[in-house]
Amino acid sequence: MGTGKVWLVGAGPGDIGLFTIKGMEVLKNAEVVVYDSLVGQGVLSKIPQTARLINVGKRASRHTMPQEEINRVLLTEAQKGYRVVRLKGGDPFLFGRGGEELELLKENGIPYEVVPGVTSPLSVPAYNGIPVTHRDFCSSLHIVTGHKRAGQEYDINFEALVNTKGTLVFLMGVSALADICSGLLKAGMEPDMPAAILQKGTTADQKRIIATVSTLDSEVKRQGIETPAIIVVGKVCKLADKFAWYESLPLAGWKVLVTRPRDLISKTAALLREKGAEVLELPAIRTVPMEDQGRLYKAFEKLGTYQWIVFTSPTGVEIFFAEMRKRQQDIRSMGNAKIAAIGEGTRKKLSEHGLYVDLMPEVYDGDSLGAALAEVLTGGERILIPRAEKGNANLVRLLEEAGAAVEDIPTYRTLYESNPLIDEKKEFEDGNIDCVVFTSASTVKGFVEGTAGLDYTKVRAACIGRQTRAAADAFGMQTYMAEKATIDSLIALVEKTKNKE
């Protein structure tokens, strides 16, 4: 292997929508990812499964890896020939020690790139309706680290800051809030200067306290604040209530877990985010085609002899046509077979292949599909069902009772999966997740597999249909069911559930 390369990538402030397109492209191709605890969970969930992970951040009782050691890790991994992504919260060069990480790489001739990130001193006030500059109030912005070394005085020229009459943003200053406010007051700042502390901006835990420089510390003691948070001082803070927009979104303040397979997740997640939810995408299942498709190939040889072909999922459609392509089999070999589909998603996937559905039940589940199709059968029809290995047995029974000859062929299997970076069980136990969205009974089973030992009565579950709800009920979850088995209806259900709180 030749020399590798290092990318310093800013992961932004938390909301995955603020992760840059370039950052996402670079992350997709990473072989090694060196990340820290300020990287938002949404971005962590996008790390490719094939990448090797090195956690250098503070998590629970594990202490931060010293900076020199991080620099050394980046060098060593690149020297082995890997594409290394150093993923950092916010922006790599704004108090992110990115410059230090590059020095060793430069000395050793390792190629590198820097991908800037959306930084919290601009984005977090924006999500709270605070413009950091406004021509009526100020003409400069000053970003200051509020972090001071143990036992030392602040190395900040408070008088110079006060004299700028600009907006001041302090990062990493929560524990030093009292010192910062008193430093500004001693340097001559007006006691009634508006000031704010902004907690976990751009995420569902966003919270703000607006006060003045002389009262902010006592307000924080009264109301409580969690880190990370930033401190903003300046007249622009009084615009917060007037310009705030995030909390008016219908799902603002809610964190929703989506468990669909990776290739189907994005529409659901996008619609929830549009409504203001913080979405955690953690697929509970993945589907893999059967290694031996011999039975399907036999069916392909006599494709024109079936009166009906039944599809029960978008994945089933994809795999059916992928296998046809492999065998260079023309779609016309399907003859005059009629097509039945279980619901909207499957119907849409078929239409992408130029096929329009002849029958779709009103309720989107296997039992209803079987009953609806059985009604139009006259007896003696041959029916092909290419689907998941463990499909609904009632579907076949109903069709056979109506006199059909059914070939039920497994074309893919469902495997359970979990994400090594995010402890789902702990997220629920800590009360961080408000709702989980299930689109099939197998996503429920996959979720349970990955959270063994969780008290499921604490889990609020939005379910797409009857079978999915029954699976969640079996574990004692608080279940809600969408009016129709469509993603739009499921999103509306999540909204309704939040409003009931």
Side-chain angles (χ1 to χ4, degrees):
M1 273 174 113
T3 306
K5 182 170 174 175
V6 176
W7 284 262
L8 255 56
V9 178
D15 178 347
I16 190 176
L18 301 178
F19 188 37
T20 65
I21 292 171
K22 185 167 185 182
M24 194 71 94
E25 286 300 317
V26 168
L27 188 58
K28 244 193 265 176
N29 297 311
E31 293 171 310
V32 176
V33 178
V34 179
Y35 67 100
D36 59 49
S37 56
L38 280 176
V39 176
Q41 289 180 325
V43 177
L44 288 179
S45 71
K46 292 293 182 193
I47 294 175
Q49 289 165 300
T50 50
R52 192 153 42 83
L53 307 167
I54 300 175
N55 180 356
V56 296
K58 214 176 273 175
R59 277 282 156 99
S61 59
R62 283 207 301 274
H63 289 288
T64 315
M65 186 184 279
Q67 187 62 48
E68 292 69 30
E69 208 177 313
I70 297 174
N71 305 348
R72 173 80 37 207
V73 165
L74 295 178
L75 174 64
T76 311
E77 293 298 333
Q79 283 173 332
K80 290 179 194 164
Y82 293 116
R83 289 195 298 273
V84 183
V85 168
R86 170 70 175 107
L87 198 56
K88 301 162 85 72
D91 175 84
F93 280 176
L94 188 74
F95 305 130
R97 304 186 76 172
E100 295 171 50
E101 294 178 348
L102 294 187
E103 277 167 18
L104 196 59
L105 300 176
K106 186 75 188 161
E107 274 168 37
N108 287 274
I110 301 287
Y112 57 81
E113 281 186 41
V114 180
V115 182
V118 172
T119 187
S120 63
L122 302 178
S123 54
V124 171
Y127 268 52
N128 281 278
I130 299 173
V132 286
T133 65
H134 188 295
R135 61 187 298 179
D136 295 346
F137 300 122
C138 66
S139 57
S140 66
L141 163 69
H142 308 270
I143 300 169
V144 188
T145 174
H147 187 65
K148 66 172 178 179
R149 302 209 168 157
Q152 289 183 8
E153 275 303 293
Y154 260 123
D155 184 20
I156 292 176
N157 185 337
F158 284 111
E159 278 179 23
L161 287 176
V162 172
N163 291 338
T164 64
K165 298 187 167 46
T167 304
L168 311 177
V169 179
F170 294 87
L171 303 188
M172 303 173 287
V174 177
S175 56
L177 177 63
D179 291 350
I180 290 170
C181 291
S182 72
L184 291 169
L185 291 167
K186 277 184 201 146
M189 185 172 268
E190 299 290 322
D192 62 355
M193 177 63 76
I197 193 158
L198 310 174
Q199 162 189 303
K200 296 183 179 175
T202 83
T203 75
D205 291 322
Q206 176 167 312
K207 169 183 170 179
R208 68 173 170 272
I209 297 174
I210 307 277
T212 64
V213 177
S214 51
T215 60
L216 186 60
D217 187 44
S218 57
E219 276 306 306
V220 167
K221 287 192 174 88
R222 191 171 68 80
Q223 296 183 42
I225 207 86
E226 292 171 20
T227 58
I230 69 169
I231 300 158
V232 185
V233 178
K235 291 177 182 165
V236 289
C237 291
K238 61 184 179 195
L239 295 168
D241 293 336
K242 181 177 167 188
F243 287 160
W245 55 273
Y246 171 75
E247 47 265 55
S248 64
L249 297 172
L251 289 175
W254 253 38
K255 188 167 179 178
V256 181
L257 175 66
V258 180
T259 56
R260 300 192 81 187
R262 211 167 285 279
D263 49 339
L264 301 172
I265 214 165
S266 49
K267 183 190 175 195
T268 317
L271 289 169
L272 287 164
R273 287 191 182 111
E274 215 172 273
K275 302 267 186 190
E278 179 183 349
V279 181
L280 194 49
E281 298 177 48
L282 294 178
I285 58 171
R286 65 189 165 94
T287 52
V288 291
M290 303 298 273
E291 277 135 42
D292 178 7
Q293 296 284 12
R295 285 187 62 200
L296 182 64
Y297 292 164
K298 280 209 172 72
F300 282 167
E301 285 163 15
K302 49 183 183 184
L303 213 45
T305 67
Y306 296 103
Q307 279 73 47
W308 284 91
I309 302 176
V310 177
F311 292 99
T312 60
S313 70
T315 305
V317 176
E318 277 300 281
I319 287 170
F320 183 83
F321 286 103
E323 295 298 336
M324 273 184 88
R325 277 195 299 277
K326 262 189 215 168
R327 289 175 64 88
Q328 297 190 325
Q329 182 152 351
D330 195 303
I331 194 166
R332 287 170 294 189
S333 63
M334 290 172 77
N336 293 319
K338 288 187 167 168
I339 306 285
I342 206 158
E344 253 341 294
T346 310
R347 185 186 65 77
K348 191 166 167 246
K349 193 53 85 178
L350 283 160
S351 72
E352 288 170 19
H353 293 278
L355 292 174
Y356 294 92
V357 168
D358 299 284
L359 182 139
M360 189 167 86
E362 274 183 32
V363 177
Y364 302 158
D365 62 31
D367 292 8
S368 308
L369 177 62
L373 185 48
E375 267 182 38
V376 302
L377 297 179
T378 54
E381 287 92 345
R382 299 191 59 203
I383 298 177
L384 173 64
I385 312 179
R387 61 172 178 166
E389 190 178 29
K390 292 180 182 142
N392 177 331
N394 276 346
L395 172 59
V396 175
R397 186 181 57 76
L398 290 163
L399 298 177
E400 286 179 342
E401 282 171 3
V406 179
E407 278 186 64
D408 182 14
I409 298 179
T411 60
Y412 65 96
R413 60 164 52 109
T414 301
L415 304 177
Y416 301 135
E417 72 172 356
S418 59
N419 189 311
L421 286 166
I422 295 163
D423 185 342
E424 282 177 81
K425 181 168 175 263
K426 191 172 185 312
E427 288 291 314
F428 279 95
E429 285 169 348
D430 294 349
N432 292 337
I433 293 176
D434 298 283
C435 180
V436 56
V437 171
F438 293 119
T439 52
S440 66
S442 54
T443 58
V444 177
K445 290 178 190 125
F447 168 74
V448 168
E449 196 94 355
T451 54
L454 178 63
D455 173 2
Y456 293 107
T457 59
K458 290 194 170 86
V459 175
R460 203 188 267 119
C463 304
I464 200 161
R466 270 194 318 214
Q467 288 169 323
T468 307
R469 184 179 196 166
D473 280 334
F475 293 99
M477 298 180 197
Q478 307 164 37
T479 58
Y480 302 84
M481 190 175 93
E483 275 177 34
K484 287 178 72 181
T486 64
I487 297 302
D488 289 334
S489 184
L490 194 54
I491 306 296
L493 171 72
V494 174
E495 221 175 303
K496 210 185 306 171
T497 309
K498 179 177 189 267
N499 294 337
K500 280 187 187 152
E501 267 203 319

